[in-house]
Amino acid sequence: MPIQYYIALAVTLFSIGVVGVLIRRNAIIVFMCIELMLNAANLLLVAFSKTHTAVAGNPLAGIDGQIFVFFIMVVAAAEVSVGLAIIVMMYRNTHSTDINFLNRLKN
């Protein structure tokens, strides 16, 4: 499959994620959109890694991108665990997950 298809899919996923982060006010949906953007970057890393390091007969060709994707997934999981803990505490205090409430934390 040509790399252009992967690039088009990744750009589409990343754009949907950016629009979701900018438009939505629900913290959980914002987290889902951030995960969508991270997965778009992961898709590009694996696609470029496989395309540019493809060597016939070498099963480990392109594994660099997959290692980066693994680290990105670990960081994303840590981010989600901390973020969801903050959202749960925010919901317990305000009975809402609206991110406009976080503006009060500036003071």
Side-chain angles (χ1 to χ4, degrees):
M1 185 179 296
I3 189 89
Q4 290 86 6
Y5 295 153
Y6 293 111
I7 293 172
L9 178 63
V11 167
T12 303
L13 290 175
F14 195 84
S15 300
I16 292 170
V18 168
V19 169
V21 166
L22 293 177
I23 290 177
R24 302 302 299 244
R25 294 288 167 224
N26 189 333
I28 294 173
I29 293 177
V30 170
F31 267 133
M32 289 177 10
C33 291
I34 290 171
E35 293 296 323
L36 198 60
M37 289 189 289
L38 287 173
N39 284 327
N42 288 341
L43 177 66
L44 278 183
L45 278 172
V46 171
F48 278 118
S49 177
K50 271 297 195 189
T51 301
H52 292 293
T53 59
V55 177
N58 186 2
L60 295 179
I63 199 165
D64 300 341
Q66 294 176 14
I67 291 172
F68 280 124
V69 168
F70 177 73
F71 285 118
I72 289 172
M73 290 173 69
V74 168
V75 170
E79 171 241 332
V80 166
S81 64
V82 171
L84 284 178
I86 291 171
I87 290 172
V88 167
M89 290 306 296
M90 185 174 80
Y91 183 77
R92 284 183 182 173
N93 290 331
T94 65
H95 298 289
S96 172
T97 58
D98 189 8
I99 58 174
N100 288 330
F101 178 76
L102 296 176
N103 287 333
R104 294 182 188 174
L105 296 176
K106 290 180 181 175
N107 299 329

